[in-house]
Amino acid sequence: MLTNVEHIGIAVKDMAASNELFTKLLNIAPYKSESVESEGVLTSFFKVNETKIELLEASNPASAIAKFIEKKGEGIHHIAFEVDDILAEMKRLEAEGFVLLNAEPKLGADNKLVCFLHPKSSNGVLVELCQERR
Ligand SMILES: CC[C@H](C(=O)O)C(=O)SCCNC(=O)CCNC(=O)[C@H](O)C(C)(C)COP(=O)(O)OP(=O)(O)OC[C@H]1O[C@@H](n2cnc3c(N)ncnc32)[C@H](O)[C@@H]1OP(=O)(O)O
Ligand SMILES: [Co+2]
């Protein structure tokens, strides 16, 4: 079951400048910064009540974030939903015709297991499923 919007992913070119901007915008400081080598991203997290903002900067040119910014510029990159059982949700969504971008859950940031759905199968929105690693 999807329980809530876990985070909104925003692609940025310059993490230091964007951290400063979002600190002013949200009037709070980021609570963590984490590099996810497997995704070629540096992340920075802000928590606004129960919803998080995840800033993403590409750490290498092959990164999905680098390609996204090259094509579309900075902006909202994905929406992440918290799930209580990522394997069950992946199975349910695949059966419903959504395209899974990874066949097995993979390690994400902020101690999560994640799976992405191809935006072409979800009205042009890149969706991420996140389950807390137990
Ligand atoms: C996991 C760490 C962290 C976390 O929260 O834990 C993250 O969130 S990491 C986030 C970065 N990682 C990913 O996004 C992994 C999943 N993404 C992918 O596999 C690719 O980015 C993919 C498949 C969405 C697109 O890659 P591709 O090489 O196919 O790039 P194209 O430019 O050819 O895109 C194909 C098609 O999709 C459209 N597109 C691409 N990205 C997005 C997006 N973020 N939102 C909506 N649409 C997107 C792109 O425009 C192309 O459409 P077209 O009509 O052909 O222009
Ligand atoms: Co994310």
PDB file of all heavy atoms in Angstrom, residues 42-75:
ATOM      1  N   LEU A  42      24.335  13.414  -5.875  1.00  0.00           N
ATOM      2  CA  LEU A  42      24.514  13.932  -4.517  1.00  0.00           C
ATOM      3  C   LEU A  42      23.137  14.438  -4.121  1.00  0.00           C
ATOM      4  O   LEU A  42      22.469  15.123  -4.910  1.00  0.00           O
ATOM      5  CB  LEU A  42      25.528  15.078  -4.508  1.00  0.00           C
ATOM      6  CG  LEU A  42      25.648  15.868  -3.183  1.00  0.00           C
ATOM      7  CD1 LEU A  42      26.222  14.970  -2.081  1.00  0.00           C
ATOM      8  CD2 LEU A  42      26.502  17.115  -3.371  1.00  0.00           C
ATOM      9  N   THR A  43      22.669  14.037  -2.933  1.00  0.00           N
ATOM     10  CA  THR A  43      21.331  14.478  -2.495  1.00  0.00           C
ATOM     11  C   THR A  43      21.448  15.367  -1.260  1.00  0.00           C
ATOM     12  O   THR A  43      22.428  15.306  -0.522  1.00  0.00           O
ATOM     13  CB  THR A  43      20.457  13.253  -2.108  1.00  0.00           C
ATOM     14  OG1 THR A  43      21.051  12.610  -0.970  1.00  0.00           O
ATOM     15  CG2 THR A  43      20.323  12.278  -3.258  1.00  0.00           C
ATOM     16  N   SER A  44      20.441  16.206  -1.078  1.00  0.00           N
ATOM     17  CA  SER A  44      20.335  17.025   0.131  1.00  0.00           C
ATOM     18  C   SER A  44      18.863  17.041   0.509  1.00  0.00           C
ATOM     19  O   SER A  44      18.009  17.271  -0.363  1.00  0.00           O
ATOM     20  CB  SER A  44      20.826  18.450  -0.163  1.00  0.00           C
ATOM     21  OG  SER A  44      20.633  19.288   0.960  1.00  0.00           O
ATOM     22  N   PHE A  45      18.564  16.736   1.780  1.00  0.00           N
ATOM     23  CA  PHE A  45      17.172  16.551   2.201  1.00  0.00           C
ATOM     24  C   PHE A  45      16.725  17.658   3.158  1.00  0.00           C
ATOM     25  O   PHE A  45      17.430  17.988   4.117  1.00  0.00           O
ATOM     26  CB  PHE A  45      17.001  15.201   2.908  1.00  0.00           C
ATOM     27  CG  PHE A  45      16.973  14.013   1.981  1.00  0.00           C
ATOM     28  CD1 PHE A  45      18.143  13.342   1.660  1.00  0.00           C
ATOM     29  CD2 PHE A  45      15.776  13.582   1.417  1.00  0.00           C
ATOM     30  CE1 PHE A  45      18.124  12.233   0.806  1.00  0.00           C
ATOM     31  CE2 PHE A  45      15.752  12.479   0.564  1.00  0.00           C
ATOM     32  CZ  PHE A  45      16.926  11.808   0.255  1.00  0.00           C
ATOM     33  N   PHE A  46      15.522  18.177   2.888  1.00  0.00           N
ATOM     34  CA  PHE A  46      14.833  19.104   3.797  1.00  0.00           C
ATOM     35  C   PHE A  46      13.555  18.417   4.241  1.00  0.00           C
ATOM     36  O   PHE A  46      12.958  17.662   3.462  1.00  0.00           O
ATOM     37  CB  PHE A  46      14.444  20.395   3.055  1.00  0.00           C
ATOM     38  CG  PHE A  46      15.592  21.250   2.604  1.00  0.00           C
ATOM     39  CD1 PHE A  46      16.291  20.933   1.445  1.00  0.00           C
ATOM     40  CD2 PHE A  46      15.970  22.373   3.322  1.00  0.00           C
ATOM     41  CE1 PHE A  46      17.350  21.720   1.019  1.00  0.00           C
ATOM     42  CE2 PHE A  46      17.030  23.177   2.885  1.00  0.00           C
ATOM     43  CZ  PHE A  46      17.717  22.849   1.737  1.00  0.00           C
ATOM     44  N   LYS A  47      13.146  18.636   5.497  1.00  0.00           N
ATOM     45  CA  LYS A  47      11.910  17.996   5.967  1.00  0.00           C
ATOM     46  C   LYS A  47      10.907  19.095   6.313  1.00  0.00           C
ATOM     47  O   LYS A  47      11.160  19.924   7.181  1.00  0.00           O
ATOM     48  CB  LYS A  47      12.195  17.137   7.201  1.00  0.00           C
ATOM     49  CG  LYS A  47      11.128  16.082   7.501  1.00  0.00           C
ATOM     50  CD  LYS A  47      11.708  14.952   8.364  1.00  0.00           C
ATOM     51  CE  LYS A  47      10.757  13.776   8.535  1.00  0.00           C
ATOM     52  NZ  LYS A  47       9.492  14.058   9.183  1.00  0.00           N
ATOM     53  N   VAL A  48       9.772  19.104   5.597  1.00  0.00           N
ATOM     54  CA  VAL A  48       8.713  20.091   5.858  1.00  0.00           C
ATOM     55  C   VAL A  48       7.529  19.295   6.399  1.00  0.00           C
ATOM     56  O   VAL A  48       6.833  18.619   5.632  1.00  0.00           O
ATOM     57  CB  VAL A  48       8.320  20.831   4.561  1.00  0.00           C
ATOM     58  CG1 VAL A  48       7.272  21.900   4.853  1.00  0.00           C
ATOM     59  CG2 VAL A  48       9.554  21.442   3.909  1.00  0.00           C
ATOM     60  N   ASN A  49       7.421  19.295   7.700  1.00  0.00           N
ATOM     61  CA  ASN A  49       6.451  18.453   8.410  1.00  0.00           C
ATOM     62  C   ASN A  49       6.676  16.995   7.972  1.00  0.00           C
ATOM     63  O   ASN A  49       7.782  16.509   8.125  1.00  0.00           O
ATOM     64  CB  ASN A  49       5.029  18.941   8.137  1.00  0.00           C
ATOM     65  CG  ASN A  49       4.079  18.428   9.228  1.00  0.00           C
ATOM     66  OD1 ASN A  49       4.492  17.650  10.084  1.00  0.00           O
ATOM     67  ND2 ASN A  49       2.837  18.869   9.174  1.00  0.00           N
ATOM     68  N   GLU A  50       5.689  16.326   7.353  1.00  0.00           N
ATOM     69  CA  GLU A  50       5.875  14.916   6.997  1.00  0.00           C
ATOM     70  C   GLU A  50       6.434  14.738   5.589  1.00  0.00           C
ATOM     71  O   GLU A  50       6.688  13.616   5.157  1.00  0.00           O
ATOM     72  CB  GLU A  50       4.546  14.159   7.121  1.00  0.00           C
ATOM     73  CG  GLU A  50       4.144  13.929   8.580  1.00  0.00           C
ATOM     74  CD  GLU A  50       5.285  13.334   9.413  1.00  0.00           C
ATOM     75  OE1 GLU A  50       5.824  12.275   9.006  1.00  0.00           O
ATOM     76  OE2 GLU A  50       5.680  13.953  10.410  1.00  0.00           O
ATOM     77  N   THR A  51       6.582  15.833   4.831  1.00  0.00           N
ATOM     78  CA  THR A  51       7.062  15.675   3.441  1.00  0.00           C
ATOM     79  C   THR A  51       8.494  16.180   3.304  1.00  0.00           C
ATOM     80  O   THR A  51       8.877  17.169   3.942  1.00  0.00           O
ATOM     81  CB  THR A  51       6.146  16.453   2.469  1.00  0.00           C
ATOM     82  OG1 THR A  51       4.847  15.879   2.545  1.00  0.00           O
ATOM     83  CG2 THR A  51       6.630  16.355   1.035  1.00  0.00           C
ATOM     84  N   LYS A  52       9.273  15.450   2.520  1.00  0.00           N
ATOM     85  CA  LYS A  52      10.678  15.840   2.331  1.00  0.00           C
ATOM     86  C   LYS A  52      10.883  16.399   0.928  1.00  0.00           C
ATOM     87  O   LYS A  52      10.208  15.996  -0.023  1.00  0.00           O
ATOM     88  CB  LYS A  52      11.579  14.611   2.498  1.00  0.00           C
ATOM     89  CG  LYS A  52      11.551  14.012   3.902  1.00  0.00           C
ATOM     90  CD  LYS A  52      12.328  12.710   3.916  1.00  0.00           C
ATOM     91  CE  LYS A  52      12.122  11.963   5.218  1.00  0.00           C
ATOM     92  NZ  LYS A  52      12.606  10.569   5.107  1.00  0.00           N
ATOM     93  N   ILE A  53      11.824  17.294   0.841  1.00  0.00           N
ATOM     94  CA  ILE A  53      12.312  17.792  -0.442  1.00  0.00           C
ATOM     95  C   ILE A  53      13.697  17.195  -0.627  1.00  0.00           C
ATOM     96  O   ILE A  53      14.549  17.278   0.279  1.00  0.00           O
ATOM     97  CB  ILE A  53      12.389  19.338  -0.461  1.00  0.00           C
ATOM     98  CG1 ILE A  53      10.994  19.954  -0.277  1.00  0.00           C
ATOM     99  CG2 ILE A  53      13.047  19.832  -1.750  1.00  0.00           C
ATOM    100  CD1 ILE A  53      10.004  19.668  -1.387  1.00  0.00           C
ATOM    101  N   GLU A  54      13.904  16.545  -1.761  1.00  0.00           N
ATOM    102  CA  GLU A  54      15.207  15.937  -2.058  1.00  0.00           C
ATOM    103  C   GLU A  54      15.832  16.699  -3.219  1.00  0.00           C
ATOM    104  O   GLU A  54      15.329  16.618  -4.364  1.00  0.00           O
ATOM    105  CB  GLU A  54      15.017  14.464  -2.449  1.00  0.00           C
ATOM    106  CG  GLU A  54      16.276  13.751  -2.864  1.00  0.00           C
ATOM    107  CD  GLU A  54      16.003  12.375  -3.455  1.00  0.00           C
ATOM    108  OE1 GLU A  54      15.264  12.260  -4.447  1.00  0.00           O
ATOM    109  OE2 GLU A  54      16.526  11.380  -2.905  1.00  0.00           O
ATOM    110  N   LEU A  55      16.880  17.471  -2.926  1.00  0.00           N
ATOM    111  CA  LEU A  55      17.618  18.142  -4.013  1.00  0.00           C
ATOM    112  C   LEU A  55      18.608  17.132  -4.568  1.00  0.00           C
ATOM    113  O   LEU A  55      19.208  16.361  -3.816  1.00  0.00           O
ATOM    114  CB  LEU A  55      18.350  19.381  -3.499  1.00  0.00           C
ATOM    115  CG  LEU A  55      17.494  20.485  -2.856  1.00  0.00           C
ATOM    116  CD1 LEU A  55      18.392  21.679  -2.469  1.00  0.00           C
ATOM    117  CD2 LEU A  55      16.373  20.935  -3.773  1.00  0.00           C
ATOM    118  N   LEU A  56      18.752  17.115  -5.906  1.00  0.00           N
ATOM    119  CA  LEU A  56      19.631  16.128  -6.555  1.00  0.00           C
ATOM    120  C   LEU A  56      20.573  16.836  -7.516  1.00  0.00           C
ATOM    121  O   LEU A  56      20.126  17.537  -8.424  1.00  0.00           O
ATOM    122  CB  LEU A  56      18.784  15.141  -7.360  1.00  0.00           C
ATOM    123  CG  LEU A  56      17.801  14.286  -6.563  1.00  0.00           C
ATOM    124  CD1 LEU A  56      16.452  14.239  -7.267  1.00  0.00           C
ATOM    125  CD2 LEU A  56      18.335  12.890  -6.345  1.00  0.00           C
ATOM    126  N   GLU A  57      21.882  16.645  -7.318  1.00  0.00           N
ATOM    127  CA  GLU A  57      22.886  17.175  -8.244  1.00  0.00           C
ATOM    128  C   GLU A  57      23.611  15.975  -8.852  1.00  0.00           C
ATOM    129  O   GLU A  57      23.917  14.991  -8.137  1.00  0.00           O
ATOM    130  CB  GLU A  57      23.890  18.046  -7.473  1.00  0.00           C
ATOM    131  CG  GLU A  57      24.957  18.677  -8.356  1.00  0.00           C
ATOM    132  CD  GLU A  57      26.039  19.384  -7.530  1.00  0.00           C
ATOM    133  OE1 GLU A  57      26.760  18.699  -6.775  1.00  0.00           O
ATOM    134  OE2 GLU A  57      26.143  20.618  -7.653  1.00  0.00           O
ATOM    135  N   ALA A  58      23.867  16.013 -10.151  1.00  0.00           N
ATOM    136  CA  ALA A  58      24.575  14.903 -10.808  1.00  0.00           C
ATOM    137  C   ALA A  58      26.024  14.876 -10.322  1.00  0.00           C
ATOM    138  O   ALA A  58      26.681  15.918 -10.253  1.00  0.00           O
ATOM    139  CB  ALA A  58      24.539  15.092 -12.323  1.00  0.00           C
ATOM    140  N   SER A  59      26.505  13.655  -9.987  1.00  0.00           N
ATOM    141  CA  SER A  59      27.917  13.553  -9.585  1.00  0.00           C
ATOM    142  C   SER A  59      28.761  12.987 -10.724  1.00  0.00           C
ATOM    143  O   SER A  59      29.970  12.851 -10.613  1.00  0.00           O
ATOM    144  CB  SER A  59      28.070  12.688  -8.327  1.00  0.00           C
ATOM    145  OG  SER A  59      27.407  11.456  -8.502  1.00  0.00           O
ATOM    146  N   ASN A  60      28.086  12.619 -11.832  1.00  0.00           N
ATOM    147  CA  ASN A  60      28.842  12.270 -13.043  1.00  0.00           C
ATOM    148  C   ASN A  60      27.962  12.520 -14.258  1.00  0.00           C
ATOM    149  O   ASN A  60      26.724  12.545 -14.154  1.00  0.00           O
ATOM    150  CB  ASN A  60      29.359  10.825 -12.975  1.00  0.00           C
ATOM    151  CG  ASN A  60      28.256   9.801 -13.128  1.00  0.00           C
ATOM    152  OD1 ASN A  60      27.529   9.822 -14.129  1.00  0.00           O
ATOM    153  ND2 ASN A  60      28.071   8.948 -12.140  1.00  0.00           N
ATOM    154  N   PRO A  61      28.593  12.747 -15.434  1.00  0.00           N
ATOM    155  CA  PRO A  61      27.822  13.142 -16.625  1.00  0.00           C
ATOM    156  C   PRO A  61      26.848  12.071 -17.118  1.00  0.00           C
ATOM    157  O   PRO A  61      25.912  12.373 -17.848  1.00  0.00           O
ATOM    158  CB  PRO A  61      28.894  13.435 -17.686  1.00  0.00           C
ATOM    159  CG  PRO A  61      30.189  13.002 -17.122  1.00  0.00           C
ATOM    160  CD  PRO A  61      30.048  12.768 -15.664  1.00  0.00           C
ATOM    161  N   ALA A  62      27.051  10.818 -16.704  1.00  0.00           N
ATOM    162  CA  ALA A  62      26.149   9.734 -17.161  1.00  0.00           C
ATOM    163  C   ALA A  62      24.901   9.642 -16.269  1.00  0.00           C
ATOM    164  O   ALA A  62      23.981   8.885 -16.557  1.00  0.00           O
ATOM    165  CB  ALA A  62      26.893   8.405 -17.133  1.00  0.00           C
ATOM    166  N   SER A  63      24.893  10.445 -15.207  1.00  0.00           N
ATOM    167  CA  SER A  63      23.782  10.387 -14.243  1.00  0.00           C
ATOM    168  C   SER A  63      22.448  10.753 -14.897  1.00  0.00           C
ATOM    169  O   SER A  63      22.396  11.610 -15.787  1.00  0.00           O
ATOM    170  CB  SER A  63      24.097  11.356 -13.098  1.00  0.00           C
ATOM    171  OG  SER A  63      22.929  11.799 -12.465  1.00  0.00           O
ATOM    172  N   ALA A  64      21.380  10.117 -14.420  1.00  0.00           N
ATOM    173  CA  ALA A  64      20.026  10.447 -14.910  1.00  0.00           C
ATOM    174  C   ALA A  64      19.732  11.927 -14.701  1.00  0.00           C
ATOM    175  O   ALA A  64      19.048  12.561 -15.513  1.00  0.00           O
ATOM    176  CB  ALA A  64      18.996   9.596 -14.160  1.00  0.00           C
ATOM    177  N   ILE A  65      20.288  12.487 -13.626  1.00  0.00           N
ATOM    178  CA  ILE A  65      20.048  13.908 -13.326  1.00  0.00           C
ATOM    179  C   ILE A  65      20.742  14.789 -14.356  1.00  0.00           C
ATOM    180  O   ILE A  65      20.187  15.781 -14.816  1.00  0.00           O
ATOM    181  CB  ILE A  65      20.510  14.237 -11.890  1.00  0.00           C
ATOM    182  CG1 ILE A  65      19.660  13.471 -10.865  1.00  0.00           C
ATOM    183  CG2 ILE A  65      20.427  15.753 -11.615  1.00  0.00           C
ATOM    184  CD1 ILE A  65      18.166  13.735 -10.935  1.00  0.00           C
ATOM    185  N   ALA A  66      21.965  14.385 -14.755  1.00  0.00           N
ATOM    186  CA  ALA A  66      22.697  15.170 -15.769  1.00  0.00           C
ATOM    187  C   ALA A  66      21.902  15.175 -17.073  1.00  0.00           C
ATOM    188  O   ALA A  66      21.710  16.224 -17.699  1.00  0.00           O
ATOM    189  CB  ALA A  66      24.091  14.580 -15.981  1.00  0.00           C
ATOM    190  N   LYS A  67      21.380  13.985 -17.465  1.00  0.00           N
ATOM    191  CA  LYS A  67      20.613  13.887 -18.715  1.00  0.00           C
ATOM    192  C   LYS A  67      19.340  14.717 -18.626  1.00  0.00           C
ATOM    193  O   LYS A  67      18.955  15.409 -19.565  1.00  0.00           O
ATOM    194  CB  LYS A  67      20.240  12.426 -18.998  1.00  0.00           C
ATOM    195  CG  LYS A  67      21.349  11.611 -19.629  1.00  0.00           C
ATOM    196  CD  LYS A  67      20.834  10.263 -20.150  1.00  0.00           C
ATOM    197  CE  LYS A  67      20.202  10.375 -21.530  1.00  0.00           C
ATOM    198  NZ  LYS A  67      19.905   9.037 -22.113  1.00  0.00           N
ATOM    199  N   PHE A  68      18.701  14.631 -17.454  1.00  0.00           N
ATOM    200  CA  PHE A  68      17.432  15.357 -17.274  1.00  0.00           C
ATOM    201  C   PHE A  68      17.659  16.860 -17.415  1.00  0.00           C
ATOM    202  O   PHE A  68      16.956  17.561 -18.141  1.00  0.00           O
ATOM    203  CB  PHE A  68      16.855  15.019 -15.881  1.00  0.00           C
ATOM    204  CG  PHE A  68      15.577  15.736 -15.549  1.00  0.00           C
ATOM    205  CD1 PHE A  68      14.347  15.228 -15.951  1.00  0.00           C
ATOM    206  CD2 PHE A  68      15.600  16.930 -14.834  1.00  0.00           C
ATOM    207  CE1 PHE A  68      13.157  15.901 -15.645  1.00  0.00           C
ATOM    208  CE2 PHE A  68      14.423  17.602 -14.526  1.00  0.00           C
ATOM    209  CZ  PHE A  68      13.202  17.087 -14.931  1.00  0.00           C
ATOM    210  N   ILE A  69      18.696  17.366 -16.725  1.00  0.00           N
ATOM    211  CA  ILE A  69      18.958  18.821 -16.745  1.00  0.00           C
ATOM    212  C   ILE A  69      19.370  19.267 -18.152  1.00  0.00           C
ATOM    213  O   ILE A  69      18.940  20.314 -18.647  1.00  0.00           O
ATOM    214  CB  ILE A  69      20.019  19.202 -15.691  1.00  0.00           C
ATOM    215  CG1 ILE A  69      19.402  19.080 -14.277  1.00  0.00           C
ATOM    216  CG2 ILE A  69      20.565  20.607 -15.933  1.00  0.00           C
ATOM    217  CD1 ILE A  69      20.319  19.441 -13.133  1.00  0.00           C
ATOM    218  N   GLU A  70      20.136  18.411 -18.825  1.00  0.00           N
ATOM    219  CA  GLU A  70      20.562  18.728 -20.200  1.00  0.00           C
ATOM    220  C   GLU A  70      19.337  18.916 -21.091  1.00  0.00           C
ATOM    221  O   GLU A  70      19.280  19.831 -21.914  1.00  0.00           O
ATOM    222  CB  GLU A  70      21.409  17.545 -20.697  1.00  0.00           C
ATOM    223  CG  GLU A  70      22.394  17.831 -21.816  1.00  0.00           C
ATOM    224  CD  GLU A  70      23.119  16.515 -22.187  1.00  0.00           C
ATOM    225  OE1 GLU A  70      23.860  16.000 -21.310  1.00  0.00           O
ATOM    226  OE2 GLU A  70      22.853  16.010 -23.304  1.00  0.00           O
ATOM    227  N   LYS A  71      18.357  18.022 -20.866  1.00  0.00           N
ATOM    228  CA  LYS A  71      17.164  18.002 -21.743  1.00  0.00           C
ATOM    229  C   LYS A  71      16.098  19.004 -21.283  1.00  0.00           C
ATOM    230  O   LYS A  71      15.460  19.669 -22.090  1.00  0.00           O
ATOM    231  CB  LYS A  71      16.602  16.578 -21.716  1.00  0.00           C
ATOM    232  CG  LYS A  71      15.568  16.279 -22.760  1.00  0.00           C
ATOM    233  CD  LYS A  71      15.426  14.768 -22.956  1.00  0.00           C
ATOM    234  CE  LYS A  71      14.708  14.456 -24.260  1.00  0.00           C
ATOM    235  NZ  LYS A  71      14.631  13.027 -24.530  1.00  0.00           N
ATOM    236  N   LYS A  72      15.861  19.091 -19.980  1.00  0.00           N
ATOM    237  CA  LYS A  72      14.705  19.844 -19.473  1.00  0.00           C
ATOM    238  C   LYS A  72      15.073  20.998 -18.528  1.00  0.00           C
ATOM    239  O   LYS A  72      14.205  21.738 -18.104  1.00  0.00           O
ATOM    240  CB  LYS A  72      13.758  18.886 -18.708  1.00  0.00           C
ATOM    241  CG  LYS A  72      13.122  17.754 -19.547  1.00  0.00           C
ATOM    242  CD  LYS A  72      12.351  16.802 -18.639  1.00  0.00           C
ATOM    243  CE  LYS A  72      11.673  15.685 -19.408  1.00  0.00           C
ATOM    244  NZ  LYS A  72      10.296  15.955 -19.816  1.00  0.00           N
ATOM    245  N   GLY A  73      16.360  21.083 -18.183  1.00  0.00           N
ATOM    246  CA  GLY A  73      16.741  22.119 -17.215  1.00  0.00           C
ATOM    247  C   GLY A  73      16.413  21.690 -15.791  1.00  0.00           C
ATOM    248  O   GLY A  73      15.917  20.581 -15.549  1.00  0.00           O
ATOM    249  N   GLU A  74      16.669  22.596 -14.844  1.00  0.00           N
ATOM    250  CA  GLU A  74      16.403  22.294 -13.427  1.00  0.00           C
ATOM    251  C   GLU A  74      14.887  22.238 -13.199  1.00  0.00           C
ATOM    252  O   GLU A  74      14.114  22.848 -13.955  1.00  0.00           O
ATOM    253  CB  GLU A  74      16.990  23.401 -12.535  1.00  0.00           C
ATOM    254  CG  GLU A  74      18.504  23.481 -12.562  1.00  0.00           C
ATOM    255  CD  GLU A  74      19.035  24.581 -11.650  1.00  0.00           C
ATOM    256  OE1 GLU A  74      18.577  25.727 -11.769  1.00  0.00           O
ATOM    257  OE2 GLU A  74      19.895  24.266 -10.791  1.00  0.00           O
ATOM    258  N   GLY A  75      14.516  21.486 -12.152  1.00  0.00           N
ATOM    259  CA  GLY A  75      13.081  21.440 -11.822  1.00  0.00           C
ATOM    260  C   GLY A  75      12.690  20.120 -11.175  1.00  0.00           C
ATOM    261  O   GLY A  75      13.541  19.267 -10.899  1.00  0.00           O
TER     262      GLY A  75
END
